[in-house]
Amino acid sequence: MLPERKRLRFTGSTGHEIAARLDLPTGTPRAFVLFAHCFTCTKDLKAVNWIARELVDRRMALFRFDFTGLGESAGDFAETGFTSNLADLLAATNYLRTQYRAPALLVGHSLGGTAVLAVAGQVPECVGVATIAAPSETAHLIEFLSRQTPPGFGPEDIAQVDVMGRPVRIKGQLLDDLRQHDVAAAVRGLDRPLLIMHSPDDEVVDIAHAQRLFELARHPKSFIALEGADHLLIARETDARYVAAVLATWAEHYLSRATGHGGSTGNRGL
């Protein structure tokens, strides 16, 4: 039996159809990994494909999806916010839980990393959380977007902003929504092992964010410097594959503890 890639759909937090992809290894997966992509990115970012291949080679299944209004998912991105992103993540978790197996690992890239930190406490089956180039607070994105919007930009106002060369429409309500989230409190309260991966050369999210996350989190926590890597991990395939290899090796200890023998994980607390 060869590795398998499935295109799937489920209902997101706002009732729209969400497009997803599940990469399955040969035989029974050791664990299911839920991956949250970066702000305005999609599940099909080149780096995510590379990470998926490496994890599948290590007998892990990777589930990724397009947040509402992005990629192949339905809905208007301008009507979404960080709150709806978190709800989409929980909807994806429930889909995996009911159709396959709940994710044992939550992994997020950039703002997706901030998102998995915020929802991890609501996924009892999760045995570990990993972030890649994640901001330590939503204020980072607020500042970035505010520089591109006019003074007095209100909740119902619409503006086009540039996100790493891509034009994106946002509403002012996104900024208001981002202000409602206390990421620091979520990290302080995180009761799962945490792996932080960040490049010292990241020109989008400074590595100081990784340092802050590490300082806020409880043990067990680990930090890996991705020297030479760019923010999106697309300049070199080796960077993305290294991230996946480190993730799989780090997770092995916690997966083994959860099952007692390193096999497939069930519910947390078995």
Side-chain angles (χ1 to χ4, degrees), residues 86-138:
L86 303 187
D88 279 350
L89 269 171
L90 292 175
T93 297
N94 190 56
Y95 177 81
L96 272 179
R97 182 184 289 120
T98 56
Q99 300 298 318
Y100 295 92
R101 193 193 317 155
L105 300 172
L106 301 182
V107 182
H109 184 190
S110 196
L111 190 67
T114 311
V116 297
L117 288 169
V119 303
Q122 300 176 64
V123 184
E125 302 92 343
C126 170
V127 301
V129 180
T131 64
I132 307 163
S136 59
E137 55 188 2
T138 56

CSV table of all heavy atoms in Angstrom, one decimal, residues 86-138:
chain,number,residue,atom,x,y,z
A,86,LEU,N,-9.8,30.5,15.0
A,86,LEU,CA,-9.7,29.5,16.1
A,86,LEU,C,-10.9,28.6,16.0
A,86,LEU,O,-10.7,27.4,16.3
A,86,LEU,CB,-9.7,30.3,17.4
A,86,LEU,CG,-8.6,31.3,17.7
A,86,LEU,CD1,-8.7,31.8,19.1
A,86,LEU,CD2,-7.3,30.8,17.4
A,87,ALA,N,-12.1,29.1,15.7
A,87,ALA,CA,-13.2,28.2,15.6
A,87,ALA,C,-13.1,27.2,14.4
A,87,ALA,O,-13.5,26.1,14.5
A,87,ALA,CB,-14.5,29.1,15.4
A,88,ASP,N,-12.5,27.7,13.3
A,88,ASP,CA,-12.2,26.8,12.2
A,88,ASP,C,-11.3,25.7,12.6
A,88,ASP,O,-11.4,24.5,12.2
A,88,ASP,CB,-11.6,27.5,11.0
A,88,ASP,CG,-12.6,28.3,10.1
A,88,ASP,OD1,-13.8,28.1,10.3
A,88,ASP,OD2,-12.1,29.1,9.3
A,89,LEU,N,-10.2,26.0,13.4
A,89,LEU,CA,-9.3,25.0,13.9
A,89,LEU,C,-10.1,23.9,14.7
A,89,LEU,O,-9.8,22.7,14.6
A,89,LEU,CB,-8.2,25.6,14.8
A,89,LEU,CG,-6.9,26.1,14.0
A,89,LEU,CD1,-6.1,26.9,15.0
A,89,LEU,CD2,-6.2,24.8,13.5
A,90,LEU,N,-11.0,24.4,15.6
A,90,LEU,CA,-11.7,23.5,16.4
A,90,LEU,C,-12.7,22.6,15.6
A,90,LEU,O,-12.9,21.4,15.9
A,90,LEU,CB,-12.5,24.2,17.5
A,90,LEU,CG,-11.6,24.9,18.6
A,90,LEU,CD1,-12.4,25.7,19.6
A,90,LEU,CD2,-10.8,23.8,19.3
A,91,ALA,N,-13.2,23.2,14.5
A,91,ALA,CA,-14.1,22.5,13.6
A,91,ALA,C,-13.3,21.4,12.9
A,91,ALA,O,-13.7,20.3,12.7
A,91,ALA,CB,-14.7,23.4,12.6
A,92,ALA,N,-12.0,21.7,12.5
A,92,ALA,CA,-11.2,20.8,11.9
A,92,ALA,C,-10.8,19.6,12.8
A,92,ALA,O,-10.8,18.4,12.5
A,92,ALA,CB,-9.9,21.4,11.4
A,93,THR,N,-10.6,20.0,14.1
A,93,THR,CA,-10.3,19.0,15.1
A,93,THR,C,-11.4,18.0,15.3
A,93,THR,O,-11.2,16.8,15.4
A,93,THR,CB,-10.0,19.7,16.5
A,93,THR,OG1,-8.8,20.5,16.3
A,93,THR,CG2,-9.8,18.7,17.6
A,94,ASN,N,-12.6,18.6,15.3
A,94,ASN,CA,-13.8,17.7,15.5
A,94,ASN,C,-14.0,16.8,14.3
A,94,ASN,O,-14.4,15.7,14.4
A,94,ASN,CB,-15.0,18.6,15.8
A,94,ASN,CG,-16.2,17.8,16.2
A,94,ASN,OD1,-16.2,17.0,17.1
A,94,ASN,ND2,-17.3,17.9,15.4
A,95,TYR,N,-13.8,17.4,13.1
A,95,TYR,CA,-13.9,16.5,11.9
A,95,TYR,C,-12.9,15.4,12.0
A,95,TYR,O,-13.3,14.2,11.7
A,95,TYR,CB,-13.6,17.4,10.6
A,95,TYR,CG,-13.6,16.6,9.4
A,95,TYR,CD1,-14.8,16.3,8.7
A,95,TYR,CD2,-12.5,16.1,8.8
A,95,TYR,CE1,-14.9,15.5,7.6
A,95,TYR,CE2,-12.5,15.4,7.6
A,95,TYR,CZ,-13.7,15.1,7.0
A,95,TYR,OH,-13.7,14.3,5.9
A,96,LEU,N,-11.7,15.6,12.3
A,96,LEU,CA,-10.7,14.5,12.4
A,96,LEU,C,-11.1,13.5,13.5
A,96,LEU,O,-11.0,12.3,13.3
A,96,LEU,CB,-9.3,15.1,12.8
A,96,LEU,CG,-8.4,15.5,11.7
A,96,LEU,CD1,-7.1,16.1,12.2
A,96,LEU,CD2,-8.1,14.4,10.7
A,97,ARG,N,-11.6,14.1,14.6
A,97,ARG,CA,-12.0,13.2,15.7
A,97,ARG,C,-13.1,12.3,15.3
A,97,ARG,O,-13.1,11.1,15.7
A,97,ARG,CB,-12.5,14.1,16.9
A,97,ARG,CG,-12.9,13.3,18.2
A,97,ARG,CD,-13.4,14.3,19.2
A,97,ARG,NE,-12.3,15.1,19.8
A,97,ARG,CZ,-12.3,16.4,19.7
A,97,ARG,NH1,-13.3,17.1,19.1
A,97,ARG,NH2,-11.3,17.1,20.3
A,98,THR,N,-14.1,12.7,14.6
A,98,THR,CA,-15.2,11.9,14.2
A,98,THR,C,-15.0,11.0,13.0
A,98,THR,O,-15.6,9.9,12.9
A,98,THR,CB,-16.5,12.8,14.0
A,98,THR,OG1,-16.2,13.8,12.9
A,98,THR,CG2,-16.9,13.6,15.2
A,99,GLN,N,-14.2,11.5,12.1
A,99,GLN,CA,-14.0,10.8,10.8
A,99,GLN,C,-12.7,9.9,10.8
A,99,GLN,O,-12.7,8.9,10.1
A,99,GLN,CB,-13.9,11.7,9.6
A,99,GLN,CG,-15.1,12.6,9.4
A,99,GLN,CD,-16.4,11.8,9.2
A,99,GLN,OE1,-16.3,10.8,8.4
A,99,GLN,NE2,-17.5,12.1,9.8
A,100,TYR,N,-11.7,10.3,11.6
A,100,TYR,CA,-10.5,9.5,11.6
A,100,TYR,C,-10.0,9.3,13.1
A,100,TYR,O,-10.4,8.4,13.7
A,100,TYR,CB,-9.4,10.2,10.8
A,100,TYR,CG,-9.7,10.3,9.3
A,100,TYR,CD1,-10.4,11.4,8.8
A,100,TYR,CD2,-9.3,9.3,8.5
A,100,TYR,CE1,-10.7,11.5,7.5
A,100,TYR,CE2,-9.6,9.3,7.1
A,100,TYR,CZ,-10.3,10.4,6.6
A,100,TYR,OH,-10.7,10.5,5.3
A,101,ARG,N,-9.2,10.2,13.6
A,101,ARG,CA,-8.7,10.2,14.9
A,101,ARG,C,-8.3,11.6,15.3
A,101,ARG,O,-7.8,12.3,14.5
A,101,ARG,CB,-7.5,9.3,15.1
A,101,ARG,CG,-7.1,8.9,16.5
A,101,ARG,CD,-5.8,8.3,16.6
A,101,ARG,NE,-5.6,7.3,15.5
A,101,ARG,CZ,-4.3,6.9,15.1
A,101,ARG,NH1,-3.3,7.5,15.5
A,101,ARG,NH2,-4.2,6.0,14.2
A,102,ALA,N,-8.6,12.0,16.5
A,102,ALA,CA,-8.3,13.4,17.0
A,102,ALA,C,-6.8,13.6,16.8
A,102,ALA,O,-6.0,12.7,17.0
A,102,ALA,CB,-8.7,13.6,18.4
A,103,PRO,N,-6.4,14.9,16.5
A,103,PRO,CA,-5.0,15.1,16.4
A,103,PRO,C,-4.2,15.0,17.7
A,103,PRO,O,-4.6,15.6,18.7
A,103,PRO,CB,-5.0,16.6,15.9
A,103,PRO,CG,-6.2,17.2,16.4
A,103,PRO,CD,-7.2,16.0,16.3
A,104,ALA,N,-3.1,14.3,17.7
A,104,ALA,CA,-2.2,14.2,18.8
A,104,ALA,C,-1.3,15.4,18.9
A,104,ALA,O,-0.8,15.8,20.0
A,104,ALA,CB,-1.4,12.9,18.8
A,105,LEU,N,-1.0,16.0,17.7
A,105,LEU,CA,-0.1,17.2,17.6
A,105,LEU,C,-0.8,18.3,16.9
A,105,LEU,O,-1.4,18.1,15.9
A,105,LEU,CB,1.2,16.8,16.9
A,105,LEU,CG,2.0,15.6,17.5
A,105,LEU,CD1,3.1,15.2,16.5
A,105,LEU,CD2,2.6,16.0,18.8
A,106,LEU,N,-0.6,19.5,17.5
A,106,LEU,CA,-1.1,20.7,16.8
A,106,LEU,C,0.2,21.5,16.4
A,106,LEU,O,1.0,21.8,17.2
A,106,LEU,CB,-1.9,21.6,17.8
A,106,LEU,CG,-3.2,20.9,18.3
A,106,LEU,CD1,-3.9,21.9,19.2
A,106,LEU,CD2,-4.1,20.4,17.2
A,107,VAL,N,0.2,21.9,15.1
A,107,VAL,CA,1.4,22.6,14.6
A,107,VAL,C,0.9,23.8,13.8
A,107,VAL,O,-0.1,23.7,13.0
A,107,VAL,CB,2.2,21.7,13.6
A,107,VAL,CG1,3.4,22.4,13.1
A,107,VAL,CG2,2.6,20.4,14.3
A,108,GLY,N,1.5,24.9,14.0
A,108,GLY,CA,1.1,26.1,13.3
A,108,GLY,C,2.3,27.0,12.8
A,108,GLY,O,3.3,27.1,13.5
A,109,HIS,N,2.1,27.6,11.6
A,109,HIS,CA,3.1,28.4,11.0
A,109,HIS,C,2.7,29.8,11.0
A,109,HIS,O,1.6,30.2,10.7
A,109,HIS,CB,3.2,27.9,9.5
A,109,HIS,CG,4.3,28.6,8.8
A,109,HIS,ND1,4.5,28.4,7.4
A,109,HIS,CD2,5.3,29.4,9.1
A,109,HIS,CE1,5.5,29.1,7.0
A,109,HIS,NE2,6.0,29.7,8.0
A,110,SER,N,3.6,30.7,11.5
A,110,SER,CA,3.3,32.1,11.7
A,110,SER,C,2.1,32.4,12.5
A,110,SER,O,2.0,31.9,13.6
A,110,SER,CB,3.2,32.7,10.3
A,110,SER,OG,3.4,34.1,10.3
A,111,LEU,N,1.1,33.1,12.0
A,111,LEU,CA,-0.1,33.3,12.8
A,111,LEU,C,-0.8,32.0,13.1
A,111,LEU,O,-1.5,31.9,14.1
A,111,LEU,CB,-1.1,34.3,12.1
A,111,LEU,CG,-2.2,34.8,13.0
A,111,LEU,CD1,-1.7,35.7,14.1
A,111,LEU,CD2,-3.2,35.6,12.1
A,112,GLY,N,-0.7,31.0,12.2
A,112,GLY,CA,-1.2,29.7,12.5
A,112,GLY,C,-0.6,29.1,13.8
A,112,GLY,O,-1.3,28.4,14.5
A,113,GLY,N,0.6,29.5,14.1
A,113,GLY,CA,1.3,29.0,15.3
A,113,GLY,C,0.6,29.7,16.5
A,113,GLY,O,0.4,29.1,17.6
A,114,THR,N,0.4,31.0,16.4
A,114,THR,CA,-0.3,31.7,17.5
A,114,THR,C,-1.7,31.1,17.7
A,114,THR,O,-2.1,31.0,18.9
A,114,THR,CB,-0.4,33.2,17.1
A,114,THR,OG1,0.8,33.7,16.6
A,114,THR,CG2,-0.9,34.0,18.3
A,115,ALA,N,-2.4,30.7,16.6
A,115,ALA,CA,-3.7,30.1,16.7
A,115,ALA,C,-3.7,28.8,17.5
A,115,ALA,O,-4.5,28.6,18.3
A,115,ALA,CB,-4.3,30.0,15.3
A,116,VAL,N,-2.7,27.9,17.2
A,116,VAL,CA,-2.7,26.6,17.8
A,116,VAL,C,-2.4,26.8,19.3
A,116,VAL,O,-2.9,26.0,20.1
A,116,VAL,CB,-1.8,25.6,17.2
A,116,VAL,CG1,-2.2,25.3,15.7
A,116,VAL,CG2,-0.3,26.0,17.2
A,117,LEU,N,-1.6,27.8,19.7
A,117,LEU,CA,-1.4,28.0,21.1
A,117,LEU,C,-2.6,28.4,21.8
A,117,LEU,O,-2.9,28.1,22.9
A,117,LEU,CB,-0.3,29.2,21.2
A,117,LEU,CG,1.1,28.8,20.8
A,117,LEU,CD1,1.9,30.1,20.8
A,117,LEU,CD2,1.7,27.8,21.8
A,118,ALA,N,-3.5,29.2,21.1
A,118,ALA,CA,-4.7,29.7,21.7
A,118,ALA,C,-5.8,28.6,21.9
A,118,ALA,O,-6.6,28.6,22.8
A,118,ALA,CB,-5.3,30.8,20.8
A,119,VAL,N,-5.8,27.5,21.0
A,119,VAL,CA,-6.8,26.5,21.1
A,119,VAL,C,-6.4,25.2,21.7
A,119,VAL,O,-7.2,24.3,22.0
A,119,VAL,CB,-7.4,26.2,19.7
A,119,VAL,CG1,-7.9,27.4,19.0
A,119,VAL,CG2,-6.4,25.5,18.8
A,120,ALA,N,-5.1,25.0,22.0
A,120,ALA,CA,-4.6,23.7,22.4
A,120,ALA,C,-5.3,23.2,23.7
A,120,ALA,O,-5.6,22.0,23.8
A,120,ALA,CB,-3.1,23.8,22.7
A,121,GLY,N,-5.6,24.2,24.6
A,121,GLY,CA,-6.3,23.8,25.8
A,121,GLY,C,-7.7,23.2,25.6
A,121,GLY,O,-8.3,22.6,26.5
A,122,GLN,N,-8.3,23.4,24.4
A,122,GLN,CA,-9.6,22.9,24.1
A,122,GLN,C,-9.5,21.6,23.3
A,122,GLN,O,-10.6,21.1,22.8
A,122,GLN,CB,-10.4,23.9,23.3
A,122,GLN,CG,-10.5,25.2,24.1
A,122,GLN,CD,-11.2,26.3,23.2
A,122,GLN,OE1,-12.4,26.1,22.8
A,122,GLN,NE2,-10.5,27.3,22.9
A,123,VAL,N,-8.3,21.0,23.2
A,123,VAL,CA,-8.2,19.7,22.4
A,123,VAL,C,-7.6,18.7,23.4
A,123,VAL,O,-6.3,18.6,23.5
A,123,VAL,CB,-7.3,19.9,21.2
A,123,VAL,CG1,-7.2,18.6,20.4
A,123,VAL,CG2,-7.8,21.0,20.3
A,124,PRO,N,-8.4,18.0,24.2
A,124,PRO,CA,-7.9,17.1,25.2
A,124,PRO,C,-7.0,16.0,24.7
A,124,PRO,O,-6.1,15.5,25.5
A,124,PRO,CB,-9.2,16.5,25.9
A,124,PRO,CG,-10.2,16.7,24.8
A,124,PRO,CD,-9.9,18.0,24.1
A,125,GLU,N,-7.1,15.6,23.5
A,125,GLU,CA,-6.3,14.5,22.9
A,125,GLU,C,-4.9,15.0,22.5
A,125,GLU,O,-4.0,14.1,22.2
A,125,GLU,CB,-7.0,13.9,21.7
A,125,GLU,CG,-8.4,13.3,21.9
A,125,GLU,CD,-9.5,14.4,21.7
A,125,GLU,OE1,-9.1,15.6,21.6
A,125,GLU,OE2,-10.6,14.0,21.5
A,126,CYS,N,-4.7,16.3,22.5
A,126,CYS,CA,-3.4,16.8,22.0
A,126,CYS,C,-2.3,16.5,23.1
A,126,CYS,O,-2.5,16.8,24.3
A,126,CYS,CB,-3.5,18.3,21.8
A,126,CYS,SG,-2.0,19.2,21.6
A,127,VAL,N,-1.2,15.9,22.6
A,127,VAL,CA,-0.1,15.7,23.6
A,127,VAL,C,1.1,16.6,23.3
A,127,VAL,O,2.1,16.5,24.1
A,127,VAL,CB,0.4,14.2,23.4
A,127,VAL,CG1,-0.8,13.2,23.7
A,127,VAL,CG2,1.0,13.9,22.0
A,128,GLY,N,1.0,17.5,22.3
A,128,GLY,CA,2.1,18.4,22.1
A,128,GLY,C,1.7,19.5,21.1
A,128,GLY,O,0.9,19.3,20.2
A,129,VAL,N,2.4,20.6,21.2
A,129,VAL,CA,2.1,21.8,20.4
A,129,VAL,C,3.5,22.3,19.8
A,129,VAL,O,4.4,22.4,20.5
A,129,VAL,CB,1.4,22.9,21.1
A,129,VAL,CG1,1.2,24.1,20.2
A,129,VAL,CG2,0.1,22.4,21.8
A,130,ALA,N,3.5,22.6,18.5
A,130,ALA,CA,4.7,23.1,17.9
A,130,ALA,C,4.4,24.4,17.1
A,130,ALA,O,3.3,24.4,16.4
A,130,ALA,CB,5.3,22.1,17.0
A,131,THR,N,5.2,25.4,17.2
A,131,THR,CA,5.1,26.6,16.4
A,131,THR,C,6.3,26.8,15.5
A,131,THR,O,7.4,26.5,15.8
A,131,THR,CB,4.9,27.8,17.3
A,131,THR,OG1,6.1,28.0,18.1
A,131,THR,CG2,3.7,27.6,18.2
A,132,ILE,N,6.0,27.4,14.3
A,132,ILE,CA,7.1,27.8,13.4
A,132,ILE,C,6.9,29.2,13.0
A,132,ILE,O,5.9,29.7,12.5
A,132,ILE,CB,6.9,26.9,12.1
A,132,ILE,CG1,6.8,25.4,12.4
A,132,ILE,CG2,8.1,27.2,11.1
A,132,ILE,CD1,6.3,24.6,11.2
A,133,ALA,N,7.9,30.0,13.4
A,133,ALA,CA,7.9,31.5,13.1
A,133,ALA,C,6.7,32.2,13.6
A,133,ALA,O,6.1,33.0,12.9
A,133,ALA,CB,8.1,31.7,11.6
A,134,ALA,N,6.2,31.9,14.8
A,134,ALA,CA,5.0,32.4,15.3
A,134,ALA,C,5.1,33.7,16.0
A,134,ALA,O,6.1,33.8,16.9
A,134,ALA,CB,4.3,31.4,16.2
A,135,PRO,N,4.3,34.7,15.8
A,135,PRO,CA,4.2,35.9,16.6
A,135,PRO,C,3.8,35.5,18.1
A,135,PRO,O,3.0,34.6,18.3
A,135,PRO,CB,3.2,36.8,16.0
A,135,PRO,CG,3.0,36.2,14.6
A,135,PRO,CD,3.3,34.8,14.7
A,136,SER,N,4.4,36.2,19.0
A,136,SER,CA,4.0,36.0,20.4
A,136,SER,C,2.8,36.7,20.9
A,136,SER,O,2.3,36.5,22.0
A,136,SER,CB,5.2,36.4,21.3
A,136,SER,OG,5.5,37.7,21.2
A,137,GLU,N,2.3,37.6,20.0
A,137,GLU,CA,1.1,38.4,20.3
A,137,GLU,C,0.4,38.8,19.1
A,137,GLU,O,1.0,39.0,18.0
A,137,GLU,CB,1.5,39.6,21.2
A,137,GLU,CG,2.5,40.4,20.5
A,137,GLU,CD,3.1,41.5,21.4
A,137,GLU,OE1,2.6,41.6,22.6
A,137,GLU,OE2,3.9,42.3,21.0
A,138,THR,N,-0.9,39.1,19.1
A,138,THR,CA,-1.6,39.5,18.0
A,138,THR,C,-1.3,41.0,17.6
A,138,THR,O,-1.5,41.4,16.5
A,138,THR,CB,-3.1,39.4,18.2
A,138,THR,OG1,-3.5,40.1,19.4
A,138,THR,CG2,-3.6,38.0,18.3
